Amino acid sequence: MSAATFLRRLVQVLDAAGIPYMVAGSFASTFHGMVRATQDVDVVVLWSSTGQESVGWW
């Protein structure tokens, strides 16, 4: 799975669950016009017990 596909799926799940997040790192910098060689995905999530129940992972 590519990083872009992973990020797309993760964002869909987080959005559907109403969990706040932000994308950082090279994906975010590329979006803003500063291409970096690493092409990794960094995601910061505001996690809570409510969010866990919404996603249903735990």
Side-chain angles (χ1 to χ4, degrees):
M1 172 184 314
S2 72
T5 300
F6 170 78
L7 180 59
R8 189 175 305 111
R9 289 182 183 178
L10 178 62
V11 165
Q12 289 171 344
V13 170
L14 294 173
D15 282 343
I19 298 173
Y21 64 90
M22 72 177 190
V23 177
S26 66
F27 263 56
S29 67
T30 298
F31 179 80
H32 290 285
M34 293 185 60
V35 178
R36 290 176 28 196
T38 57
Q39 294 300 304
D40 61 330
V41 177
D42 300 304
V43 180
V44 178
V45 177
L46 179 59
W47 203 246
S48 68
S49 60
T50 304
Q52 292 176 9
E53 292 168 9
S54 298
V55 175
W57 290 345
W58 288 275

